[in-house]
Amino acid sequence: MTTSTATKQTTFSIEGMTCAACANRIEKGLSKMEGVSEATVNFALEKATVTYEADKASVAELEAKIEKLGYKTVKETVDFQIGGMTCAACANRIEKGLNKLSGVSNATVNFALESAQVNYDPAEVSIQDLQQKVKKLGYEANVKSDQNQADEDRRAKEIKKQQWRFIISAILSFPLLWAMVSHFQFTSFIWLPDIFMNPWFQLALATPVQFIIGGPFYVGAYKALRNKSANMDVLVALGTSAAYFYSLYLSITSIGHGGHQVELYYETSSILITLILLGKLFEVRAKGRSSEAIKKLMGLQAKTALVIRDGQEQTIPVEQVVVGDHIVIKPGEKIPVDGKVIEGSSSIDESMLTGESLPIDKNAGDQVIGATVNKNGRLIIEAIKVGRETALAQIIKVVEDAQGSKAPIQRVADRISGVFVPIVVGIALVTFLIWYFLVEPGQFAEALEKAIAVLVIACPCALGLATPTSIMAGSGRAAELGILFKGGEHLETTHLLDAIVLDKTGTITKGKPELTDLIIEQQVDNERFLQIVGGVEKNSEHPLAEAIVEGITAKNIQLASTDEFTAVPGFGVKAVVDGQEVAIGTRKLMVKTGVEVPPVSLEHMNQLEESGKTAMLVSIAGQFAGIVAVADTIKESSKDAIAALKQQGIEVYMITGDNERTAQAIANQVGIDHVLAEVLPEDKANKVKELQQAGKKVAMVGDGINDAPALVTADIGMAIGTGTDIAMEASDVTLIRGELTSIADAIFMSKKTMTNIRQNLFWALGYNVLGIPIAALGFLAPWLAGAAMALSSVSVVLNALRLQRIKR
């Protein structure tokens, strides 16, 4: 969208929304304000984005409007790319520093993604203030761009930089390693140039490694200590400096005393730095692989669009497409944006979104989705959603948010990382004192070597990478399987579910029922009956009403005009036709309107319901007139999906507004044992609460607007991706493919991811719990400790990446 210089856009976070209806209310209220050209409220993210003319509206007026509607504006959100972090302790320090700022409500820093998300009040703190705080802590914070290319370029530069640092460090360290290896009795046969044993030659090689190649460790350590904290840089700087400066002392004191015979430790510091750099190189490469899902999704997008402007066809970048543009889609091309077909017909491959292998036929008036493929036939579509509003862009955003979020289990690792480095420094000091005064009294070099090994092996990197890398890989793989987790906490919770509540229409069934039966009283004119019923139901958006209207219009019946249409939730509909009140719905509606239904008709209704059909009674002018029945087809996958859930020990419930007989007939067909029938839309959330109060961990699965409150109430809300936007916004997990088999897949991915996280935490913690005492007891040379430390981070990341290969 092109904006003038007077047009601005602002984002609010909103407190107080309890359901999707609240979001709609705020959106409508803001849209009606003078000067507001567009307002979008996202219930799931609790955010409002408003585009307005600065000379007609202000941020203060927008906030006042939201508060007048009964809600509270909180903060804006900004995403930063963080540079300079070396371990989890760095992420913790930045997070704590940002959270202490006035105006910041919440800051989350992800070490694996090298990113930060901050919720803040722009009236109290600015983006520049946030960046300045991060800079003061010793790091860089750059606002993330909408395009991922900048991040890709930055990561490529980082990899190249790490490669060169490692190569140069390895070249300079190799002679020192050669000299060290030749010291062992079993390697005495290796030829060693005399110059390699010269202290000054070793000093010349070790110095650039220590202070040029290893300079960033000193910088990082200084910044950490200046801010009264400690990180991996402190451990590395302490350990390597101890070895380097002790060797320098020995080199100086050996002048004139046969320096070639002095036992030096230059190789310890240089090889340690080289191995740490190698580990960092592996780490940065592996972290890049963990975001493969985002790259694949980005790759689905079309790069250009053929638009019709001023009567001419012209190819433009997809970013320049605006709402209302007419776009030509040729056979074999990707559809660039979400839109509506206005000319032509074709079949569209939507497998990337729905998983449906068969192409879907599209004609004028049908909706199409960006990144799907036009198989045959030329189409002209009108752009409806562009840029960040398209379905694919929203999917990418959900995956990014999930990968950047923290799972509750990560808090354990964060707390440990926060105190880890000071404890390790203390252990290293105690190790040195014990060895120097008790184990080998007076042997400074031996005691120092043991202390260095403790410092180096205890790097908290693996601990910091354990959870976020698994979350990134797990949520990314889930997205490829058509499952969108909106946050790490939902990915963690899903595997704990023991009860699933399934909405019937559109979830268990296809949600596209058909008119199957008409039973009309003898005294009623058949054609007039159909005209009236079709005319009344035409006003309803309910799938059953649409089925009735389609079935009647297919008979070439002219629908009657209606007045005073009223939908009675859970009962049916009422309207006035030619001065006569018409009611269509349940038995309760007939009782409510004072209509007496003959016993034989009630028996017919029972028979229809027992066969799985939804039957509705019709009254005209207070007299019973007949019955209409519709049937909704069960999805082919529903029965198998429900059986799979039951095999996992999960109780499956079906919830519906249908009467008990119809609901039970559907439940019997798909194997559901627990039926919650005749539940009004507003009572669905209460039914979920009842199950929770019984001690169950409940997931609600639905696809409609009336499911939103229940989706929010449940421990995990799952929305069928083929349903309404509001249901998807209110949910914690979106099942894009629209099949119930995705529920088992979601639980499976949650279990696998949590197992992976626990493996990572076990090995990261176990590595330190075992490694530190082994090093303290003198069984690990410093260079071996350095190699083990480097490999620990790499092993954690590689273990997490196994999630990307999981099959459903």
Side-chain angles (χ1 to χ4, degrees):
M1 180 177 66
T2 305
T3 58
S4 67
T5 55
T7 301
K8 293 185 177 181
Q9 188 177 82
T10 187
T11 301
F12 301 106
S13 287
I14 299 176
E15 280 185 355
M17 292 192 293
T18 57
C19 66
C22 300
N24 289 341
R25 185 167 172 241
I26 298 169
E27 191 167 288
K28 288 178 181 177
L30 290 171
S31 298
K32 290 178 181 178
M33 289 183 66
E34 183 181 2
V36 174
S37 57
E38 184 179 4
T40 304
V41 180
N42 189 310
F43 172 62
L45 297 178
E46 297 181 332
K47 288 181 183 178
T49 302
V50 187
T51 304
Y52 64 100
E53 294 178 37
D55 56 345
K56 293 183 180 179
S58 67
V59 171
E61 289 172 339
L62 297 172
E63 288 179 324
K65 180 64 176 178
I66 293 171
E67 291 182 8
K68 187 177 179 181
L69 291 168
Y71 307 91
K72 182 181 177 182
T73 58
V74 193
K75 315 289 177 187
E76 290 189 9
T77 300
V78 62
D79 293 313
F80 292 114
Q81 196 69 45
I82 305 294
M85 291 193 294
T86 56
C87 68
C90 299
N92 290 337
R93 185 161 76 255
I94 298 170
E95 197 169 278
K96 288 178 181 177
L98 289 172
N99 279 315
K100 287 179 181 177
L101 284 177
S102 176
V104 173
S105 61
N106 183 55
T108 303
V109 181
N110 188 308
F111 171 53
L113 277 178
E114 298 176 338
S115 66
Q117 186 175 82
V118 186
N119 295 324
Y120 69 101
D121 186 344
E124 295 185 51
V125 64
S126 67
I127 289 178
Q128 290 72 25
D129 294 332
L130 299 173
Q131 290 176 304
Q132 192 61 37
K133 179 63 177 178
V134 175
K135 186 176 181 180
K136 188 177 178 181
L137 291 169
Y139 307 91
E140 293 182 11
N142 297 307
V143 178
K144 277 189 174 182
S145 61
D146 291 334
Q147 301 300 321
N148 280 6
Q149 190 57 49
D151 294 339
E152 285 298 310
D153 292 343
R154 180 195 56 78
R155 189 176 294 279
K157 288 179 181 178
E158 177 66 18
I159 291 174
K160 193 171 183 179
K161 179 182 176 182
Q162 290 285 8
Q163 283 176 333
W164 278 111
R165 286 181 68 195
F166 167 70
I167 290 170
I168 295 170
S169 183
I171 291 171
L172 293 173
S173 300
F174 180 72
L176 300 175
L177 176 63
W178 191 339
M180 182 190 74
V181 171
S182 68
H183 284 134
F184 301 119
Q185 189 173 2
F186 62 88
T187 57
S188 57
F189 64 89
I190 297 176
W191 174 73
L192 177 68
D194 286 342
I195 193 172
F196 284 11
M197 294 301 296
N198 187 300
W200 308 109
F201 177 75
Q202 291 192 11
L203 176 65
L205 292 175
T207 299
V209 174
Q210 186 71 35
F211 298 108
I212 300 177
I213 304 297
F217 295 122
Y218 284 101
V219 175
Y222 166 72
K223 289 176 178 177
L225 294 172
R226 184 184 66 186
N227 288 285
K228 300 178 183 179
S229 64
N231 62 358
M232 184 202 81
D233 293 329
V234 173
L235 296 179
V236 175
L238 275 176
T240 58
S241 295
Y244 175 85
F245 284 109
Y246 179 58
S247 298
L248 179 60
Y249 165 76
L250 292 178
S251 297
I252 294 172
T253 55
S254 70
I255 296 175
H257 296 84
H260 281 66
Q261 304 304 317
V262 177
E263 187 172 340
L264 303 175
Y265 296 91
Y266 288 121
E267 79 283 350
T268 297
S269 61
S270 295
I271 293 170
L272 279 178
I273 289 173
T274 303
L275 288 171
I276 291 167
L277 291 176
L278 177 61
K280 284 293 174 185
L281 178 59
F282 286 151
E283 187 181 299
V284 73
R285 283 180 175 276
K287 284 195 292 187
R289 285 176 55 200
S290 61
S291 58
E292 284 295 320
I294 295 290
K295 295 175 188 174
K296 288 179 181 177
L297 289 171
M298 294 290 289
L300 294 173
Q301 294 176 316
K303 302 296 186 290
T304 61
L306 182 61
V307 300
I308 302 174
R309 290 182 179 174
D310 301 324
Q312 299 293 321
E313 293 184 2
Q314 52 182 295
T315 301
I316 62 172
V318 70
E319 294 82 13
Q320 295 179 13
V321 175
V322 297
V323 174
D325 269 342
H326 287 186
I327 306 170
V328 177
I329 316 292
K330 297 177 181 178
E333 290 184 342
K334 287 183 179 179
I335 296 173
V337 297
D338 294 359
K340 179 176 68 175
V341 178
I342 58 175
E343 184 180 313
S345 61
S346 182
S347 57
I348 305 296
D349 180 0
E350 296 183 346
S351 57
M352 53 72 61
L353 185 70
T354 65
E356 176 58 56
S357 58
L358 295 176
I360 309 298
D361 291 334
K362 299 288 183 178
N363 299 295
D366 290 337
Q367 304 286 324
V368 291
I369 303 167
T372 56
V373 180
N374 180 22
K375 300 295 288 184
N376 48 57
R378 184 177 183 271
L379 295 176
I380 298 179
I381 69 167
E382 179 183 345
I384 295 176
K385 291 182 179 180
V386 301
R388 288 179 292 180
E389 299 301 317
T390 63
L392 181 61
Q394 292 296 312
I395 290 171
I396 292 171
K397 182 69 169 67
V398 169
V399 176
E400 286 178 334
D401 288 344
Q403 292 190 339
S405 65
K406 283 191 176 183
I409 196 172
Q410 190 172 338
R411 295 174 193 147
V412 178
D414 288 347
R415 283 196 293 268
I416 295 172
S417 298
V419 298
F420 193 78
V421 174
I423 290 174
V424 169
V425 173
I427 293 173
L429 179 60
V430 171
T431 299
F432 174 82
L433 294 174
I434 290 174
W435 277 87
Y436 186 72
F437 289 105
L438 298 176
V439 181
E440 295 183 359
Q443 296 295 316
F444 184 86
E446 291 295 324
L448 182 63
E449 187 176 89
K450 309 305 182 288
I452 291 172
V454 170
L455 288 172
V456 173
I457 200 168
C459 170
C461 289
L463 198 58
L465 290 168
T467 300
T469 49
S470 294
I471 293 291
M472 290 167 66
S475 59
R477 178 58 181 148
E480 292 174 2
L481 296 177
I483 303 157
L484 298 183
F485 289 95
K486 292 190 177 178
E489 65 273 23
H490 310 312
L491 188 57
E492 178 174 336
T493 303
T494 299
H495 80 289
L496 301 173
L497 297 172
D498 53 20
I500 305 286
V501 179
L502 303 174
D503 179 54
K504 180 182 77 81
T505 305
T507 303
I508 295 175
T509 64
K510 292 181 178 179
K512 292 184 178 180
E514 297 177 354
L515 178 63
T516 57
D517 295 89
L518 290 166
I519 301 176
I520 305 171
E521 290 293 284
Q522 291 182 355
Q523 71 273 20
V524 179
D525 180 76
N526 288 5
E527 184 172 345
R528 184 59 181 163
F529 177 87
L530 294 175
Q531 288 176 343
I532 292 173
V533 171
V536 173
E537 293 289 9
K538 180 180 63 176
N539 298 289
S540 174
E541 294 180 355
H542 196 283
L544 299 182
E546 293 177 4
I548 293 171
V549 172
E550 286 181 10
I552 292 174
T553 53
K555 300 178 185 291
N556 296 318
I557 300 292
Q558 185 71 34
L559 303 184
S561 299
T562 61
D563 298 306
E564 301 178 27
F565 175 83
T566 305
V568 186
F571 291 88
V573 295
K574 294 193 298 182
V576 175
V577 179
D578 295 335
Q580 296 179 318
E581 184 177 79
V582 179
I584 306 172
T586 63
R587 299 171 181 82
K588 291 180 180 179
L589 183 62
M590 295 297 108
V591 173
K592 194 173 183 180
T593 53
V595 175
E596 185 176 345
V597 182
V600 66
S601 296
L602 290 175
E603 182 60 31
H604 286 153
M605 187 176 191
N606 292 341
Q607 291 172 359
L608 291 169
E609 290 170 345
E610 286 170 0
S611 64
K613 297 175 182 178
T614 299
M616 286 158 278
L617 302 171
V618 180
S619 69
I620 301 174
Q623 298 296 315
F624 176 70
I627 302 173
V628 291
V630 295
D632 190 2
T633 309
I634 294 172
K635 293 179 180 177
E636 292 81 0
S637 62
S638 292
K639 187 173 182 179
D640 291 340
I642 290 164
L645 291 171
K646 290 169 70 175
Q647 284 176 0
Q648 295 181 44
I650 297 173
E651 293 183 1
V652 183
Y653 294 77
M654 185 179 80
I655 192 166
T656 177
D658 286 351
N659 63 76
E660 186 73 34
R661 285 191 183 86
T662 302
Q664 194 61 57
I666 297 295
N668 291 339
Q669 290 180 50
V670 294
I672 292 178
D673 301 320
H674 307 285
V675 178
L676 305 173
E678 299 182 38
V679 179
L680 299 177
E682 59 268 26
D683 287 336
K684 288 184 178 180
N686 293 330
K687 292 295 183 182
V688 171
K689 286 180 183 176
E690 288 175 10
L691 292 172
Q692 290 173 322
Q693 289 166 359
K696 298 185 184 301
K697 207 78 171 175
V698 184
M700 171 69 193
V701 185
D703 73 328
I705 293 174
N706 60 7
D707 297 324
L711 289 168
V712 174
T713 302
D715 296 288
I716 291 292
M718 293 187 181
I720 297 295
T722 51
T724 65
D725 290 342
I726 291 175
M728 285 186 276
E729 286 180 7
S731 66
D732 306 311
V733 182
T734 299
L735 310 176
I736 301 176
R737 304 193 193 285
E739 298 294 338
L740 294 188
T741 49
S742 294
I743 301 173
D745 289 341
I747 295 171
F748 174 72
M749 282 306 305
S750 174
K751 284 181 179 177
K752 286 293 185 182
T753 303
M754 290 310 301
T755 299
N756 194 274
I757 288 173
R758 292 189 183 100
Q759 289 170 349
N760 282 348
L761 289 174
F762 174 80
W763 288 113
L765 288 169
Y767 157 81
N768 285 298
V769 169
L770 292 174
I772 291 174
I774 290 173
L777 291 171
F779 295 118
L780 270 183
W783 70 273
L784 281 173
M789 184 270 282
L791 289 173
S792 68
S793 296
V794 176
S795 64
V796 163
V797 176
L798 291 178
N799 184 52
L801 292 178
R802 291 191 305 113
L803 290 169
Q804 294 182 337
R805 299 189 297 274
I806 283 180
K807 304 295 182 185
R808 60 171 36 166

